[in-house]
Amino acid sequence: VNKILKYNGKFILICNVILIICTIISLLLVNVTDSLSIIFAGIFIFYMLIFLFIDIVNRLRSMIALKKYNLNEIKEELASDSTRKLDGVETYLTENYIVSNATVIRITKYEDIKWAYLYIYLSSRGIIYTPVNMTFNNKIGKYPIAAYLKNGNGMRVILAVVKNDKQLKEVYSAITKKNKKVLKGYTKENIKEYAKNDKIFRIENKINNILPWGILI
């Protein structure tokens, strides 16, 4: 249980170590005053700062997730025999919560979910993009499940990441057992239903429709 609720930043750490090594090599292979070596070193340092920023943000988001709910209750539910772990991904379906620890710890109460759907970019050229954090860890999965919460102020969150339709349906099933009124899937009907009482979402949806790379489904 403690391992499940521990922030895992190994991927970002590995990336930064590689970038540090590349920076040192770029400065050693060629004279330090050589413009090419300085350019490469600058590029590596730039990406190091990006990964450092991502790591800080992920740590803060994980800390917020752990403080939002009663941690003792979460631990008890994770340790329960009724808790279901999705095969091959760090997603756990407890009695009352979805707990995910792909790259960031996320804890969501089923009853708090207003609308959930698979988060995919479908471009005009027919190419599908999934906005998942870069990773070499195949336990992360492929497709993120996005959601809007009842008191989320129009902000989209990622509940978990799944590998296939079977796992998606399993998450949907767990939610609907506790939340009969949840909207499932990115459909026109659900867009209209959610947009009725959420001005921020209506603005966001208009922007998404204008953008050239496609729509969210």
Side-chain angles (χ1 to χ4, degrees):
V1 169
N2 289 330
K3 186 178 179 181
I4 295 170
L5 297 176
K6 183 179 179 181
Y7 170 70
N8 183 4
K10 288 182 181 178
F11 170 70
I12 295 176
L13 176 63
I14 292 169
C15 287
N16 273 328
V17 170
I18 292 172
L19 289 167
I20 291 170
I21 294 171
C22 290
T23 303
I24 295 171
I25 291 174
S26 67
L27 292 173
L28 291 178
L29 285 180
V30 191
N31 191 297
V32 73
T33 59
D34 183 86
S35 59
L36 187 62
S37 65
I38 293 175
I39 289 171
F40 276 117
I43 292 171
F44 294 138
I45 292 171
F46 173 73
Y47 279 104
M48 269 191 287
L49 292 173
I50 290 177
F51 279 113
L52 179 62
F53 175 76
I54 293 172
D55 182 64
I56 292 171
V57 171
N58 285 349
R59 286 180 186 275
L60 288 174
R61 290 166 69 186
S62 296
M63 288 172 61
I64 292 170
L66 292 173
K67 289 183 178 180
K68 186 176 180 181
Y69 297 107
N70 185 325
L71 192 56
N72 289 329
E73 181 186 354
I74 302 296
K75 287 182 177 181
E76 286 179 9
E77 292 204 9
L78 283 170
S80 172
D81 292 336
S82 63
T83 294
R84 170 86 172 101
K85 180 184 183 299
L86 299 187
D87 294 335
V89 293
E90 294 300 316
T91 297
Y92 301 81
L93 305 176
T94 76
E95 182 67 23
N96 295 290
Y97 301 91
I98 298 176
V99 180
S100 175
N101 192 359
T103 53
V104 179
I105 299 172
R106 309 178 200 275
I107 302 172
T108 313
K109 197 168 187 177
Y110 300 130
E111 293 177 353
D112 291 340
I113 302 169
K114 177 69 176 178
W115 178 24
Y117 59 89
L118 200 61
Y119 184 24
I120 299 176
Y121 279 121
L122 179 62
S123 78
S124 56
R125 292 182 242 178
I127 303 172
I128 293 178
Y129 302 92
T130 55
V132 184
N133 292 340
M134 292 183 298
T135 177
F136 295 124
N137 185 351
N138 61 9
K139 290 185 178 181
I140 300 300
K142 296 180 180 180
Y143 308 113
I145 301 175
Y148 286 91
L149 307 183
K150 291 179 180 178
N151 298 315
N153 297 319
M155 299 298 292
R156 181 176 55 233
V157 298
I158 301 298
L159 297 180
V161 185
V162 297
K163 284 190 171 184
N164 49 50
D165 288 342
K166 181 182 177 182
Q167 291 184 347
L168 176 63
K169 291 176 182 177
E170 193 169 353
V171 173
Y172 278 168
S173 176
I175 296 171
T176 50
K177 283 181 180 178
K178 293 289 182 176
N179 187 349
K180 303 294 183 183
K181 295 182 179 180
V182 67
L183 303 173
K184 297 184 295 183
Y186 199 91
T187 64
K188 290 182 180 179
E189 292 77 14
N190 287 344
I191 292 171
K192 290 179 180 179
E193 181 64 27
Y194 185 79
K196 284 180 182 178
N197 301 309
D198 200 299
K199 183 178 179 181
I200 296 174
F201 172 77
R202 290 198 297 271
I203 295 171
E204 180 189 80
N205 192 58
K206 287 179 181 178
I207 294 172
N208 283 334
N209 289 332
I210 295 170
L211 295 176
W213 52 74
I215 60 171
L216 286 170
I217 61 172

